[in-house]
Amino acid sequence: MSPVMNTVIPRPSSVLGTGRSFELPADARILVQPNAPEVAQIGEFLAAALRPATGLALPVTAGAAQERGTIHLTTAAADPALGAEGYELLVAPHGVLLAAPRPAGLFRGVQTIRQLLPAAVERRTVAPGPWTLPTGVLRDAPRFAWRGAMLDVARHFFPVADVKRYLDLLAYYKFNVLHLHLTDDQGWRIEIKSWPRLAEYGGSTAVDGAPGGYYTQEQYADLARYAAERYITIVPEIDMPSHTNAALASYALLNCEGEAPALYTGTAVGFSTLCMGKETTFRFMDDVLGELAALTPGPYLHIGGDEADSTSPEDYQTFMRQVQAIVQSHGKTVVGWGEIAQAPLTPGTMVQHWRQDLTPQAAASGHKVILSPAGKTYLDMKYDEATPFGLSWAGYVTVQDAFAWNPGAYLAGVGEDAVAGVEAPLWTETIPTFAEAEFMLFPRLLAVAELGWSPAAGRTWDEFRSRLAHHGPRLEGLGVNFFRAPEIDWPETL
């Protein structure tokens, strides 16, 4: 295997290794394209990532041409065929050149540079060198535009620091979407100023009576900025018309009978529903989605739509007509779970598949599909019967299960052209801490990263598991509480 390629996840599109190496000298610099503030910001990101372990100063300076001993970042004269997130990386014995048509591609390439350096570079204290990269030419671009992960902060709440850590880890593996499941029966996690009790009261608890919490609008906007700096889009979800007990408990007027139910801390689903017979419901939906749209720089709002067992078919159709119009009136694109395909969908609405549903019918009508099959990508599923937390209703999901499927040919009637991409959800009914979340996410999340980014041709389990083994020391350096999956030959000393 080429020395350039043998540790990078997700696997690059193409690589030509030359069998030599470049070593960062003591006076190494990061050279950035002049008069390009966004490129300079990416250079500072790389320098900040490398300084703690290397102990090098790594100043970021402007320059138009490659210089010896530098890592040069530029969008000048890059091949436009690489697209919005693609890049080309040239590592020579005298220095490194990273070129991309767009800054997003430079940022993705920076993660490859990090992964080509020794694993100890991810430590936060000075480690012994030398700091070398294998030489060669690497061209890379993503297979799918949507490479997502979903974090359920409604069943258990995760504070801003945890979400930022997750964003950092997602960026390292070239994800570009973080879907935040902000509301459910057990908790409402986003401040809505026109309906303040949603967060203040509806956000006060969690599953099994665990402490609640919510993001202020300022905190949410800060998360969106932090994500954007990592070229990740936040997709917020307000789950409706079911999964709404926290809202119904907060405001009696949202209930058909005008009486608020008690807050809920169990794990059942499908018992709650918004009242489609009240004009107040539609004002509520417009207010909530309007405030959230104004806070969200990305183009998407996720409206849930799943497991609406207590909503009549007629009311569900009413809900879908109204909610799609509301989202579009606020300038956003609708995303919903697979059940939304049972209703007429407006142009542009995206369908997120998770179980047997009408996704192929939606694809046939021109709607893009996000693939999150529960038996492959639901990372709250146990690895095996001995996993200390998680669920198993969709079966056990090993690392190989998460890797060994093809999104472009997974659903009959849904060809690759209809697939926007893949997303790995983490539901948190049984996961109250982020350390436990990391255990369930890693290393399976790396398999999903590979599916979303890497070309389908040439993918094999044995080749992937070999590369994955090299990431044990990286994950340890990053401080990740990952599962030492027995099917991976991890190094004896991590």
Side-chain angles (χ1 to χ4, degrees):
M1 182 181 293
S2 164
V4 173
M5 183 177 172
N6 64 357
T7 61
V8 176
I9 294 177
R11 180 170 61 94
S13 302
S14 68
V15 63
L16 177 63
T18 56
R20 302 177 68 185
S21 64
F22 162 70
E23 180 177 344
L24 285 173
D27 62 349
R29 289 180 294 131
I30 296 174
L31 193 67
V32 297
Q33 177 181 341
N35 303 312
E38 198 171 347
V39 177
Q41 183 176 332
I42 295 168
E44 293 289 356
F45 178 94
L46 177 59
L50 303 187
R51 284 172 184 144
T54 66
L56 300 176
L58 292 172
V60 178
T61 59
Q66 178 73 60
E67 298 177 19
R68 180 172 292 275
T70 64
I71 299 174
H72 186 197
L73 311 182
T74 182
T75 62
D79 183 358
L82 291 166
E85 294 183 274
Y87 62 93
E88 185 170 41
L89 179 66
L90 171 62
V91 182
H94 64 273
V96 177
L97 173 63
L98 175 62
R102 303 283 296 276
L106 289 179
F107 188 82
R108 306 301 176 215
V110 157
Q111 313 315 315
T112 296
I113 291 172
R114 292 171 65 185
Q115 291 190 25
L116 290 175
L117 285 160
V121 79
E122 301 306 337
R123 298 179 187 174
R124 296 296 88 190
T125 56
V126 175
W131 303 107
T132 60
L133 293 88
T135 56
V137 179
L138 186 153
R139 282 176 63 89
D140 204 8
R143 179 183 180 188
F144 293 113
W146 187 294
R147 305 178 308 281
M150 189 217 78
L151 181 62
D152 170 16
V153 298
R155 271 54 177 273
H156 282 101
F157 179 67
F158 295 90
V160 167
D162 288 342
V163 180
K164 287 185 174 181
R165 172 163 171 78
Y166 196 25
L167 286 164
D168 287 339
L169 295 170
L170 291 173
Y172 191 69
Y173 290 105
K174 301 185 175 75
F175 285 86
N176 66 350
V177 171
L178 176 60
H179 168 183
L180 287 177
H181 184 78
L182 290 169
T183 69
D184 215 296
D185 291 311
Q186 299 87 354
W188 186 284
R189 307 301 183 202
I190 180 68
E191 177 189 23
I192 302 297
K193 293 186 181 295
S194 56
W195 298 76
R197 273 178 59 85
L198 291 171
E200 294 168 0
Y201 183 69
S204 64
T205 189
V207 167
D208 294 334
Y214 64 90
Y215 308 116
T216 66
Q217 293 198 357
E218 292 74 19
Q219 288 173 323
Y220 177 84
D222 177 54
L223 284 173
R225 284 191 297 270
Y226 192 86
E229 290 170 358
R230 286 145 184 80
Y231 298 89
I232 294 174
T233 298
I234 296 286
V235 177
E237 179 184 353
I238 304 296
D239 204 350
M240 300 178 284
S242 191
H243 294 274
T244 48
N245 192 81
L248 299 174
S250 300
Y251 286 96
L253 55 77
L254 292 176
N255 297 269
C256 287
E257 67 281 7
E259 296 181 6
L263 291 170
Y264 182 69
T265 60
T267 59
V269 298
F271 63 88
S272 60
T273 184
L274 292 175
C275 181
M276 292 299 124
K278 283 191 164 186
E279 186 59 35
T280 302
T281 298
F282 305 115
R283 177 169 61 85
F284 161 81
M285 291 162 54
D286 189 37
D287 289 345
V288 168
L289 294 172
E291 287 193 34
L292 194 56
L295 292 168
T296 301
Y300 308 105
L301 292 184
H302 201 301
I303 52 84
D306 59 315
E307 298 176 322
D309 301 336
S310 298
T311 309
S312 71
E314 180 182 3
D315 282 352
Y316 192 86
Q317 298 288 320
T318 299
F319 163 74
M320 284 301 301
R321 284 196 306 272
Q322 294 283 348
V323 76
Q324 289 181 98
I326 289 169
V327 170
Q328 291 182 334
S329 76
H330 293 291
K332 301 297 184 181
T333 296
V334 175
V335 185
W337 296 105
E339 288 93 325
I340 69 170
Q342 64 190 292
L345 301 179
T346 57
T349 292
M350 299 175 70
V351 178
Q352 185 167 2
H353 168 81
W354 67 284
R355 63 178 181 182
Q356 190 63 37
D357 54 33
L358 298 176
T359 299
Q361 178 178 308
S365 298
H367 296 277
K368 287 289 188 178
V369 173
I370 302 159
L371 290 173
S372 299
K376 300 290 186 182
T377 68
Y378 269 37
L379 301 188
D380 53 305
M381 294 297 110
K382 293 173 179 283
Y383 292 93
D384 54 37
E385 63 181 4
T387 307
F389 29 77
L391 302 169
S392 59
W393 59 263
Y396 301 129
V397 177
T398 65
V399 180
Q400 186 171 3
D401 291 330
F403 174 84
W405 62 288
N406 180 3
Y410 179 72
L411 283 180
V414 181
E416 181 141 350
D417 289 347
V419 176
V422 296
E423 184 175 296
L426 182 75
W427 303 100
T428 61
E429 291 96 328
T430 66
I431 303 169
T433 71
F434 197 69
E436 293 169 349
E438 288 183 348
F439 184 87
M440 300 301 285
L441 292 165
F442 295 93
R444 293 181 293 189
L445 193 66
L446 279 64
V448 180
E450 184 102 348
L451 289 169
W453 180 280
S454 302
R459 293 179 62 248
T460 70
W461 166 244
D462 285 342
E463 191 275 336
F464 174 72
R465 67 188 289 270
S466 175
R467 272 183 294 122
L468 182 54
H470 289 282
H471 281 252
R474 291 191 181 278
L475 292 171
E476 188 173 67
L478 290 163
V480 176
N481 178 38
F482 69 98
F483 174 58
R484 273 67 168 174
E487 64 265 44
I488 309 302
D489 296 326
W490 305 105
E492 290 187 11
T493 302
L494 295 180

